[in-house]
Amino acid sequence: MAEYQADDNAALRYLKSAEDALGHRSTISRLDHDEEMSRILRNRVVRASRAGNHPLTDQSLKQLEAMASSSRNRVIQSSYNGAAGTLLMDQKQYQEAITNLEEDRDNPFTLELLVQAYYQTNQSDKLHETEAKLRGTNVPTMEQALVVPAIRTKRPII
């Protein structure tokens, strides 16, 4: 529920509830737990940053970075790269953001940011390729439902 909240503070409360619920599940495998925790942390980094809660942003990113540095799991790596790339985009460090965002190409939120980063760095070929991929995304996820329909209604960036 945190993903579709308009209010960042409400989203942060839902993320806290998700983390608490995850801690109460003793039957979940360590791998599934870590993957889900990485998704929670990714969303927390983005939402805390947008809410102006920099201590929570930094703490969550450090926790996610520690998970990513000790794991080769693709989901955890993608969560870290998506979160770090989003923060770099917020800081208008587009070239640096591209490096992280390109490592998380399966997430529609990330693809949307990648299109913006390519636009800001005048990489029109990559921009068009990524925009076409985003427009053609059809997967049953919350991210797809929140990002792709809006992108499809916009004119392509020329």
Side-chain angles (χ1 to χ4, degrees):
M1 292 190 321
E3 287 187 352
Y4 60 81
Q5 295 301 313
D7 179 13
D8 291 318
N9 289 312
L12 288 169
R13 286 191 297 275
Y14 281 117
L15 290 167
K16 177 65 176 142
S17 294
E19 183 179 8
D20 291 344
L22 187 61
H24 294 299
R25 295 286 305 195
S26 61
T27 58
I28 191 170
S29 74
R30 185 71 185 160
L31 177 65
D32 289 341
H33 174 275
D34 289 350
E35 286 181 358
E36 197 57 39
M37 190 64 200
S38 76
R39 290 181 184 108
I40 291 169
L41 288 169
R42 176 204 177 125
N43 284 308
R44 185 175 292 149
V45 166
V46 172
R47 292 304 191 122
S49 175
R50 290 182 185 158
N53 187 339
H54 301 294
L56 182 58
T57 302
D58 294 341
Q59 173 196 7
S60 300
L61 185 62
K62 285 178 184 169
Q63 189 177 351
L64 187 52
E65 184 177 24
M67 289 178 73
S69 67
S70 66
S71 174
R72 299 177 117 187
N73 182 289
R74 187 172 173 268
V75 172
I76 295 170
Q77 294 295 320
S78 291
S79 293
Y80 170 72
N81 283 304
T86 300
L87 289 180
L88 290 167
M89 284 294 291
D90 290 346
Q91 298 166 3
K92 299 188 184 337
Q93 296 178 22
Y94 304 114
Q95 196 60 52
E96 293 84 356
I98 288 171
T99 302
N100 288 101
L101 297 173
E102 286 181 338
E103 296 297 320
D104 183 34
R105 288 181 168 263
D106 293 330
N107 185 304
F109 288 123
T110 299
L111 290 175
E112 185 178 33
L113 289 174
L114 201 50
V115 167
Q116 294 172 21
Y118 287 146
Y119 176 79
Q120 293 295 330
T121 58
N122 296 315
Q123 297 182 49
S124 60
D125 290 344
K126 288 183 176 182
L127 181 152
H128 294 298
E129 177 185 322
T130 304
E131 191 174 47
K133 179 179 179 178
L134 183 56
R135 287 177 183 277
T137 299
N138 284 308
V139 290
T141 65
M142 181 65 68
E143 295 86 356
Q144 191 275 338
L146 293 171
V147 175
V148 176
I151 291 296
R152 288 179 179 157
T153 63
K154 293 180 184 177
R155 295 185 72 201
I157 298 174
I158 300 176

